[in-house]
Amino acid sequence: MTQHDNVGHDVETGLIDADAQVESFRQTRNNRRTELVEDYVELIADLLVDGGEARQVDIAQRLGVAQPTVAKMLKRLISEGYIQQRRYRGIFLTDAGRRLADLCRERHQIVESFLCSIGVSPETARIDAEGMEHHASPETLEAFKRFLARTASSRIAAQG
Amino acid sequence: MTQHDNVGHDVETGLIDADAQVESFRQTRNNRRTELVEDYVELIADLLVDGGEARQVDIAQRLGVAQPTVAKMLKRLISEGYIQQRRYRGIFLTDAGRRLADLCRERHQIVESFLCSIGVSPETARIDAEGMEHHASPETLEAFKRFLARTASSRIAAQG
DNA sequence: GAAATAATATAGCTAAGGCTATTTTTCAAT
DNA sequence: ATTGAAAAATAGCCTTAGCTATATTATTTC
Ligand SMILES: [Mn+2]
Ligand SMILES: [Mn+2]
Ligand SMILES: [Mn+2]
Ligand SMILES: [Mn+2]
């Protein structure tokens, strides 16, 4: 078997198709570039819902990073149009920010629930979902949702 | 409900426990710091098995990055003890490198197979697994394996 | 309203991970 | 043995994401 005559993946020994592999790596690098933005926007939305305001110190404390780190990222979020900031006032989401936050929150929730549904403990599901969510494509999310719906209905059928 | 009286997650409205959340974010940041190392070592192992040698140009071509990018990362892999390099000769894995490669390859395979098993297309499974694998904990991998074993045996039971 | 406190901003550093352009070295062919 | 091509190394640049230390600005409190 040469390096060039297999299109799918070859579990045992060979390499997968080079074009396919480079596509995967590129997509993964792309996802990595937006992970932090997504986590910030989702967290800001949660803080706003819960307490009415999102301050840098709260964000920093919840992320486990220093306040200047947050300050810098907020500038990026502003430049990308997801938030507005009034100096020494709080952080507010733009329409685009709210849209992104909603998407991320739903995606996060699906991934975390799914992990729980296959028997992962809530603590581990929480941790793993925080990283995995950013790499779950719409197609994978649909599969997760199908699975959740199926197990939910079979639970109902089984126990009334 | 205040910000401080919920220990688990609260799907609908509130924030999860701050200590729990910071633990998730920290673990995710940790995983991110080793993602690339894992992908490199896994890829090098595959290239060595397939062609007997792993050259910078091959690695660069498969990852979709420039050759100097690979050269720099290889220095990191050397400094972390995963590979050896003979100037203008190829790349070789150390014992630690081989161990890491084996772990990563198995983990990657489990994640990709699992995604396929719940109905994700092979192409999407390939792409999503490339990113998700690095955030799948041992506990989650066990759950994936259990699921794979269960569906495999139920296939056998169903169709003979 | 002045002082103390809290929040934010800023300066300046590091490391990782990317790039292009160029030089050096090795390998293959003639 | 020389040359030409390929591979690797190096130089120099950028962005992101973290840090500490310090300055500035708001907000409370007295
Ligand atoms: Mn999230
Ligand atoms: Mn996340
Ligand atoms: Mn991999
Ligand atoms: Mn990967």
PDB file of all heavy atoms in Angstrom, chain B residues 99-123:
ATOM      1  N   ARG B  99       5.469   6.409  23.682  1.00  0.00           N
ATOM      2  CA  ARG B  99       4.374   6.209  24.641  1.00  0.00           C
ATOM      3  C   ARG B  99       3.261   7.227  24.392  1.00  0.00           C
ATOM      4  O   ARG B  99       2.089   6.877  24.323  1.00  0.00           O
ATOM      5  CB  ARG B  99       4.887   6.365  26.074  1.00  0.00           C
ATOM      6  CG  ARG B  99       5.346   5.066  26.713  1.00  0.00           C
ATOM      7  CD  ARG B  99       5.482   5.224  28.231  1.00  0.00           C
ATOM      8  NE  ARG B  99       6.396   6.304  28.607  1.00  0.00           N
ATOM      9  CZ  ARG B  99       7.723   6.187  28.678  1.00  0.00           C
ATOM     10  NH1 ARG B  99       8.297   5.035  28.387  1.00  0.00           N
ATOM     11  NH2 ARG B  99       8.471   7.209  29.024  1.00  0.00           N
ATOM     12  N   LEU B 100       3.649   8.505  24.253  1.00  0.00           N
ATOM     13  CA  LEU B 100       2.639   9.543  24.013  1.00  0.00           C
ATOM     14  C   LEU B 100       1.903   9.291  22.702  1.00  0.00           C
ATOM     15  O   LEU B 100       0.673   9.406  22.635  1.00  0.00           O
ATOM     16  CB  LEU B 100       3.298  10.925  23.992  1.00  0.00           C
ATOM     17  CG  LEU B 100       2.355  12.105  23.771  1.00  0.00           C
ATOM     18  CD1 LEU B 100       1.305  12.171  24.880  1.00  0.00           C
ATOM     19  CD2 LEU B 100       3.133  13.435  23.719  1.00  0.00           C
ATOM     20  N   ALA B 101       2.643   8.916  21.676  1.00  0.00           N
ATOM     21  CA  ALA B 101       2.017   8.676  20.376  1.00  0.00           C
ATOM     22  C   ALA B 101       0.989   7.556  20.470  1.00  0.00           C
ATOM     23  O   ALA B 101      -0.113   7.658  19.915  1.00  0.00           O
ATOM     24  CB  ALA B 101       3.080   8.333  19.334  1.00  0.00           C
ATOM     25  N   ASP B 102       1.337   6.496  21.189  1.00  0.00           N
ATOM     26  CA  ASP B 102       0.403   5.376  21.318  1.00  0.00           C
ATOM     27  C   ASP B 102      -0.870   5.810  22.035  1.00  0.00           C
ATOM     28  O   ASP B 102      -1.978   5.495  21.604  1.00  0.00           O
ATOM     29  CB  ASP B 102       1.073   4.223  22.081  1.00  0.00           C
ATOM     30  CG  ASP B 102       2.142   3.536  21.237  1.00  0.00           C
ATOM     31  OD1 ASP B 102       2.155   3.753  20.004  1.00  0.00           O
ATOM     32  OD2 ASP B 102       2.973   2.793  21.801  1.00  0.00           O
ATOM     33  N   LEU B 103      -0.693   6.558  23.117  1.00  0.00           N
ATOM     34  CA  LEU B 103      -1.855   7.049  23.851  1.00  0.00           C
ATOM     35  C   LEU B 103      -2.741   7.907  22.950  1.00  0.00           C
ATOM     36  O   LEU B 103      -3.960   7.744  22.915  1.00  0.00           O
ATOM     37  CB  LEU B 103      -1.406   7.889  25.047  1.00  0.00           C
ATOM     38  CG  LEU B 103      -0.937   7.135  26.291  1.00  0.00           C
ATOM     39  CD1 LEU B 103      -0.427   8.120  27.334  1.00  0.00           C
ATOM     40  CD2 LEU B 103      -2.094   6.297  26.855  1.00  0.00           C
ATOM     41  N   CYS B 104      -2.102   8.827  22.222  1.00  0.00           N
ATOM     42  CA  CYS B 104      -2.868   9.760  21.399  1.00  0.00           C
ATOM     43  C   CYS B 104      -3.568   9.038  20.257  1.00  0.00           C
ATOM     44  O   CYS B 104      -4.724   9.341  19.930  1.00  0.00           O
ATOM     45  CB  CYS B 104      -1.956  10.840  20.837  1.00  0.00           C
ATOM     46  SG  CYS B 104      -1.357  11.976  22.101  1.00  0.00           S
ATOM     47  N   ARG B 105      -2.860   8.111  19.675  1.00  0.00           N
ATOM     48  CA  ARG B 105      -3.459   7.407  18.554  1.00  0.00           C
ATOM     49  C   ARG B 105      -4.693   6.637  19.011  1.00  0.00           C
ATOM     50  O   ARG B 105      -5.737   6.665  18.357  1.00  0.00           O
ATOM     51  CB  ARG B 105      -2.444   6.452  17.935  1.00  0.00           C
ATOM     52  CG  ARG B 105      -2.954   5.832  16.669  1.00  0.00           C
ATOM     53  CD  ARG B 105      -1.863   5.289  15.781  1.00  0.00           C
ATOM     54  NE  ARG B 105      -0.643   4.881  16.478  1.00  0.00           N
ATOM     55  CZ  ARG B 105       0.494   4.616  15.867  1.00  0.00           C
ATOM     56  NH1 ARG B 105       0.560   4.755  14.568  1.00  0.00           N
ATOM     57  NH2 ARG B 105       1.558   4.229  16.539  1.00  0.00           N
ATOM     58  N   GLU B 106      -4.578   5.971  20.149  1.00  0.00           N
ATOM     59  CA  GLU B 106      -5.719   5.200  20.639  1.00  0.00           C
ATOM     60  C   GLU B 106      -6.887   6.124  20.991  1.00  0.00           C
ATOM     61  O   GLU B 106      -8.028   5.874  20.613  1.00  0.00           O
ATOM     62  CB  GLU B 106      -5.314   4.370  21.861  1.00  0.00           C
ATOM     63  CG  GLU B 106      -6.392   3.367  22.264  1.00  0.00           C
ATOM     64  CD  GLU B 106      -6.139   2.765  23.631  1.00  0.00           C
ATOM     65  OE1 GLU B 106      -5.058   3.009  24.212  1.00  0.00           O
ATOM     66  OE2 GLU B 106      -7.038   2.046  24.131  1.00  0.00           O
ATOM     67  N   ARG B 107      -6.557   7.195  21.703  1.00  0.00           N
ATOM     68  CA  ARG B 107      -7.594   8.146  22.099  1.00  0.00           C
ATOM     69  C   ARG B 107      -8.291   8.723  20.869  1.00  0.00           C
ATOM     70  O   ARG B 107      -9.530   8.779  20.808  1.00  0.00           O
ATOM     71  CB  ARG B 107      -6.936   9.266  22.912  1.00  0.00           C
ATOM     72  CG  ARG B 107      -7.889  10.219  23.582  1.00  0.00           C
ATOM     73  CD  ARG B 107      -7.142  11.403  24.171  1.00  0.00           C
ATOM     74  NE  ARG B 107      -6.372  12.089  23.133  1.00  0.00           N
ATOM     75  CZ  ARG B 107      -5.563  13.105  23.360  1.00  0.00           C
ATOM     76  NH1 ARG B 107      -5.377  13.549  24.597  1.00  0.00           N
ATOM     77  NH2 ARG B 107      -4.914  13.673  22.356  1.00  0.00           N
ATOM     78  N   HIS B 108      -7.484   9.132  19.891  1.00  0.00           N
ATOM     79  CA  HIS B 108      -8.023   9.699  18.660  1.00  0.00           C
ATOM     80  C   HIS B 108      -8.973   8.696  17.982  1.00  0.00           C
ATOM     81  O   HIS B 108     -10.083   9.043  17.555  1.00  0.00           O
ATOM     82  CB  HIS B 108      -6.869  10.048  17.726  1.00  0.00           C
ATOM     83  CG  HIS B 108      -7.238  10.855  16.541  1.00  0.00           C
ATOM     84  ND1 HIS B 108      -6.474  11.887  16.072  1.00  0.00           N
ATOM     85  CD2 HIS B 108      -8.308  10.790  15.708  1.00  0.00           C
ATOM     86  CE1 HIS B 108      -7.050  12.428  15.019  1.00  0.00           C
ATOM     87  NE2 HIS B 108      -8.160  11.767  14.772  1.00  0.00           N
ATOM     88  N   GLN B 109      -8.535   7.468  17.920  1.00  0.00           N
ATOM     89  CA  GLN B 109      -9.320   6.430  17.257  1.00  0.00           C
ATOM     90  C   GLN B 109     -10.645   6.200  17.962  1.00  0.00           C
ATOM     91  O   GLN B 109     -11.690   6.043  17.323  1.00  0.00           O
ATOM     92  CB  GLN B 109      -8.493   5.140  17.214  1.00  0.00           C
ATOM     93  CG  GLN B 109      -9.153   4.023  16.431  1.00  0.00           C
ATOM     94  CD  GLN B 109      -9.534   4.483  15.035  1.00  0.00           C
ATOM     95  OE1 GLN B 109      -8.746   5.160  14.363  1.00  0.00           O
ATOM     96  NE2 GLN B 109     -10.746   4.163  14.607  1.00  0.00           N
ATOM     97  N   ILE B 110     -10.602   6.200  19.288  1.00  0.00           N
ATOM     98  CA  ILE B 110     -11.835   5.992  20.058  1.00  0.00           C
ATOM     99  C   ILE B 110     -12.823   7.118  19.778  1.00  0.00           C
ATOM    100  O   ILE B 110     -14.000   6.879  19.514  1.00  0.00           O
ATOM    101  CB  ILE B 110     -11.524   5.906  21.569  1.00  0.00           C
ATOM    102  CG1 ILE B 110     -10.754   4.623  21.870  1.00  0.00           C
ATOM    103  CG2 ILE B 110     -12.805   5.974  22.394  1.00  0.00           C
ATOM    104  CD1 ILE B 110     -10.164   4.590  23.277  1.00  0.00           C
ATOM    105  N   VAL B 111     -12.334   8.351  19.833  1.00  0.00           N
ATOM    106  CA  VAL B 111     -13.232   9.490  19.626  1.00  0.00           C
ATOM    107  C   VAL B 111     -13.836   9.444  18.223  1.00  0.00           C
ATOM    108  O   VAL B 111     -15.047   9.623  18.047  1.00  0.00           O
ATOM    109  CB  VAL B 111     -12.480  10.828  19.854  1.00  0.00           C
ATOM    110  CG1 VAL B 111     -13.351  12.011  19.471  1.00  0.00           C
ATOM    111  CG2 VAL B 111     -12.038  10.937  21.303  1.00  0.00           C
ATOM    112  N   GLU B 112     -12.998   9.184  17.239  1.00  0.00           N
ATOM    113  CA  GLU B 112     -13.491   9.186  15.859  1.00  0.00           C
ATOM    114  C   GLU B 112     -14.496   8.051  15.634  1.00  0.00           C
ATOM    115  O   GLU B 112     -15.563   8.260  15.041  1.00  0.00           O
ATOM    116  CB  GLU B 112     -12.306   9.072  14.889  1.00  0.00           C
ATOM    117  CG  GLU B 112     -12.694   9.263  13.437  1.00  0.00           C
ATOM    118  CD  GLU B 112     -11.472   9.461  12.529  1.00  0.00           C
ATOM    119  OE1 GLU B 112     -10.418   9.925  13.011  1.00  0.00           O
ATOM    120  OE2 GLU B 112     -11.579   9.127  11.336  1.00  0.00           O
ATOM    121  N   SER B 113     -14.182   6.879  16.111  1.00  0.00           N
ATOM    122  CA  SER B 113     -15.111   5.746  15.960  1.00  0.00           C
ATOM    123  C   SER B 113     -16.418   6.016  16.687  1.00  0.00           C
ATOM    124  O   SER B 113     -17.499   5.687  16.188  1.00  0.00           O
ATOM    125  CB  SER B 113     -14.483   4.466  16.525  1.00  0.00           C
ATOM    126  OG  SER B 113     -13.299   4.143  15.855  1.00  0.00           O
ATOM    127  N   PHE B 114     -16.283   6.613  17.858  1.00  0.00           N
ATOM    128  CA  PHE B 114     -17.486   6.896  18.628  1.00  0.00           C
ATOM    129  C   PHE B 114     -18.415   7.838  17.868  1.00  0.00           C
ATOM    130  O   PHE B 114     -19.621   7.599  17.769  1.00  0.00           O
ATOM    131  CB  PHE B 114     -17.125   7.496  19.983  1.00  0.00           C
ATOM    132  CG  PHE B 114     -18.318   7.933  20.764  1.00  0.00           C
ATOM    133  CD1 PHE B 114     -19.087   7.009  21.453  1.00  0.00           C
ATOM    134  CD2 PHE B 114     -18.705   9.268  20.784  1.00  0.00           C
ATOM    135  CE1 PHE B 114     -20.214   7.410  22.161  1.00  0.00           C
ATOM    136  CE2 PHE B 114     -19.824   9.669  21.477  1.00  0.00           C
ATOM    137  CZ  PHE B 114     -20.584   8.741  22.171  1.00  0.00           C
ATOM    138  N   LEU B 115     -17.851   8.902  17.329  1.00  0.00           N
ATOM    139  CA  LEU B 115     -18.678   9.848  16.572  1.00  0.00           C
ATOM    140  C   LEU B 115     -19.377   9.127  15.418  1.00  0.00           C
ATOM    141  O   LEU B 115     -20.585   9.319  15.194  1.00  0.00           O
ATOM    142  CB  LEU B 115     -17.822  11.005  16.050  1.00  0.00           C
ATOM    143  CG  LEU B 115     -17.315  11.991  17.104  1.00  0.00           C
ATOM    144  CD1 LEU B 115     -16.433  13.054  16.478  1.00  0.00           C
ATOM    145  CD2 LEU B 115     -18.490  12.645  17.843  1.00  0.00           C
ATOM    146  N   CYS B 116     -18.632   8.295  14.703  1.00  0.00           N
ATOM    147  CA  CYS B 116     -19.256   7.541  13.612  1.00  0.00           C
ATOM    148  C   CYS B 116     -20.399   6.677  14.148  1.00  0.00           C
ATOM    149  O   CYS B 116     -21.452   6.561  13.524  1.00  0.00           O
ATOM    150  CB  CYS B 116     -18.221   6.661  12.923  1.00  0.00           C
ATOM    151  SG  CYS B 116     -17.050   7.587  11.897  1.00  0.00           S
ATOM    152  N   SER B 117     -20.182   6.094  15.319  1.00  0.00           N
ATOM    153  CA  SER B 117     -21.167   5.137  15.843  1.00  0.00           C
ATOM    154  C   SER B 117     -22.488   5.791  16.230  1.00  0.00           C
ATOM    155  O   SER B 117     -23.516   5.120  16.329  1.00  0.00           O
ATOM    156  CB  SER B 117     -20.586   4.401  17.053  1.00  0.00           C
ATOM    157  OG  SER B 117     -20.646   5.222  18.204  1.00  0.00           O
ATOM    158  N   ILE B 118     -22.478   7.102  16.458  1.00  0.00           N
ATOM    159  CA  ILE B 118     -23.752   7.756  16.776  1.00  0.00           C
ATOM    160  C   ILE B 118     -24.328   8.450  15.545  1.00  0.00           C
ATOM    161  O   ILE B 118     -25.255   9.245  15.651  1.00  0.00           O
ATOM    162  CB  ILE B 118     -23.627   8.765  17.935  1.00  0.00           C
ATOM    163  CG1 ILE B 118     -22.614   9.866  17.584  1.00  0.00           C
ATOM    164  CG2 ILE B 118     -23.236   8.077  19.229  1.00  0.00           C
ATOM    165  CD1 ILE B 118     -22.717  11.078  18.491  1.00  0.00           C
ATOM    166  N   GLY B 119     -23.756   8.157  14.386  1.00  0.00           N
ATOM    167  CA  GLY B 119     -24.379   8.621  13.152  1.00  0.00           C
ATOM    168  C   GLY B 119     -23.751   9.821  12.494  1.00  0.00           C
ATOM    169  O   GLY B 119     -24.285  10.354  11.521  1.00  0.00           O
ATOM    170  N   VAL B 120     -22.606  10.263  12.980  1.00  0.00           N
ATOM    171  CA  VAL B 120     -21.893  11.344  12.321  1.00  0.00           C
ATOM    172  C   VAL B 120     -21.179  10.769  11.095  1.00  0.00           C
ATOM    173  O   VAL B 120     -20.644   9.659  11.149  1.00  0.00           O
ATOM    174  CB  VAL B 120     -20.882  11.993  13.289  1.00  0.00           C
ATOM    175  CG1 VAL B 120     -20.071  13.064  12.590  1.00  0.00           C
ATOM    176  CG2 VAL B 120     -21.596  12.551  14.511  1.00  0.00           C
ATOM    177  N   SER B 121     -21.175  11.505  10.013  1.00  0.00           N
ATOM    178  CA  SER B 121     -20.524  11.011   8.800  1.00  0.00           C
ATOM    179  C   SER B 121     -19.020  10.874   9.016  1.00  0.00           C
ATOM    180  O   SER B 121     -18.436  11.593   9.829  1.00  0.00           O
ATOM    181  CB  SER B 121     -20.777  11.985   7.641  1.00  0.00           C
ATOM    182  OG  SER B 121     -20.049  13.174   7.844  1.00  0.00           O
ATOM    183  N   PRO B 122     -18.381   9.962   8.311  1.00  0.00           N
ATOM    184  CA  PRO B 122     -16.938   9.747   8.482  1.00  0.00           C
ATOM    185  C   PRO B 122     -16.123  11.027   8.289  1.00  0.00           C
ATOM    186  O   PRO B 122     -15.163  11.269   9.023  1.00  0.00           O
ATOM    187  CB  PRO B 122     -16.606   8.711   7.415  1.00  0.00           C
ATOM    188  CG  PRO B 122     -17.880   7.981   7.172  1.00  0.00           C
ATOM    189  CD  PRO B 122     -18.967   8.990   7.370  1.00  0.00           C
ATOM    190  N   GLU B 123     -16.520  11.848   7.317  1.00  0.00           N
ATOM    191  CA  GLU B 123     -15.752  13.072   7.054  1.00  0.00           C
ATOM    192  C   GLU B 123     -15.841  14.031   8.244  1.00  0.00           C
ATOM    193  O   GLU B 123     -14.834  14.584   8.694  1.00  0.00           O
ATOM    194  CB  GLU B 123     -16.267  13.786   5.796  1.00  0.00           C
ATOM    195  CG  GLU B 123     -16.217  12.957   4.519  1.00  0.00           C
ATOM    196  CD  GLU B 123     -17.331  11.910   4.449  1.00  0.00           C
ATOM    197  OE1 GLU B 123     -18.457  12.210   4.907  1.00  0.00           O
ATOM    198  OE2 GLU B 123     -17.074  10.791   3.959  1.00  0.00           O
TER     199      GLU B 123
END
